Amino acid sequence: MKHTISVLVENRFGVLARVAGLFSGRGFNIESLTVAETEDAAVSRMTIVTRGEDRIIEQINKQLNKLIDVIKVVDVTAEEHVERELLLVKLNAEEKNRAEILRMVEIFRGKIVDVSAKSYTVEISGGDRKIEAFIEMVRPLGMQEMARSGKIALPRGTGASAPKAKKPKSGG
C-alpha cells in the first residue's frame, strides 16, 4: 500500500542526505520526495511517498524518529489530509491539436504557462488521480517533456502540525 509520510526536520545541511540514506540503506523505495522550508525558516517539511506493508511503514517511521534532525513524523495516509502535486508538461501544439489541448487544460483547470510555435507547456496541480487522468488524456496528442513535483500534503483541520525547531544543543 502507498503511504504519504510528512516529516518535519531541522533545516540544516545534510539532513536530506541522511533521510535518503536511511531509505537506501534499508532497501526502502521512495516514490516521491519533496522538501521545502516551512513557515519557520529553521524547519523544513519533507513529504515522502513510499510503499510497504504496515510493518515496513512502522519500521520506516521508527527509523526516521531516531534521526537527530527529525522533529516529527506523521503518516498522513489514514488521516484526513490535503495533498497536491504539480505537473508541467510540454505538448506538441500542431495546428490540429491546439483546440483539443486548450479544451483539456480548461476541463482540468490548468494553465498554459509557455507557448512556442510548436509547443504548449501546461501546468496542472491536484491529486494523483487528476494528474494521471490528464496525462492519459493528452498523451495521444504528443508529449515532448514532462516534470512532476512529487506530492505535498498537510493534515486537515485547525492547529499547527509543525512544532518549532529544536534549540541547538550547547557544547560540553
Side-chain angles (χ1 to χ4, degrees):
M1 179 180 168
K2 192 183 277 190
H3 284 260
T4 302
I5 301 170
S6 180
V7 185
L8 293 172
V9 297
E10 300 288 330
N11 189 5
R12 290 191 209 148
F13 174 80
V15 174
L16 174 60
R18 283 189 279 284
V19 170
L22 180 152
F23 276 78
S24 66
R26 288 168 177 75
F28 304 136
N29 188 37
I30 296 174
E31 291 194 10
S32 79
L33 170 66
T34 58
V35 184
E37 189 177 290
T38 64
E39 68 283 358
D40 179 349
V43 177
S44 290
R45 179 182 306 273
M46 294 183 173
T47 305
I48 302 169
V49 178
T50 188
R51 282 187 190 271
E53 300 170 5
D54 291 345
R55 180 182 56 81
I56 299 294
I57 300 303
E58 183 181 336
Q59 187 179 5
I60 289 171
N61 288 339
K62 284 180 180 175
Q63 293 296 320
L64 284 169
N65 274 310
K66 286 182 182 176
L67 294 177
I68 192 157
D69 299 310
V70 170
I71 301 166
K72 186 175 183 181
V73 179
V74 178
D75 182 353
V76 297
T77 308
E79 295 183 17
E80 289 288 321
H81 66 282
V82 178
E83 59 183 47
R84 293 290 183 268
E85 184 175 354
L86 176 67
L87 168 73
L88 290 176
V89 59
K90 191 180 296 180
L91 301 168
N92 292 333
E94 298 167 12
E95 190 64 34
K96 65 180 181 178
N97 292 344
R98 290 180 182 234
E100 182 67 9
I101 292 170
L102 294 174
R103 192 172 70 85
M104 289 297 155
V105 168
E106 184 178 330
I107 290 169
F108 284 87
R109 288 182 253 151
K111 288 194 295 190
I112 304 234
V113 293
D114 188 52
V115 175
S116 74
K118 296 186 177 184
S119 69
Y120 285 159
T121 301
V122 177
E123 170 190 303
I124 300 281
S125 67
D128 288 351
R129 291 183 182 168
K130 179 180 176 182
I131 299 291
E132 292 297 329
F134 182 77
I135 291 169
E136 287 307 310
M137 296 302 290
V138 298
R139 187 180 301 276
L141 301 174
M143 295 172 49
Q144 295 177 2
E145 290 183 79
M146 182 175 85
R148 295 174 74 159
S149 65
K151 189 184 294 187
I152 58 171
L154 280 177
R156 285 191 183 270
T158 58
S161 62
K164 299 295 178 199
K166 294 176 187 173
K167 292 183 179 175
K169 293 179 181 174
S170 58

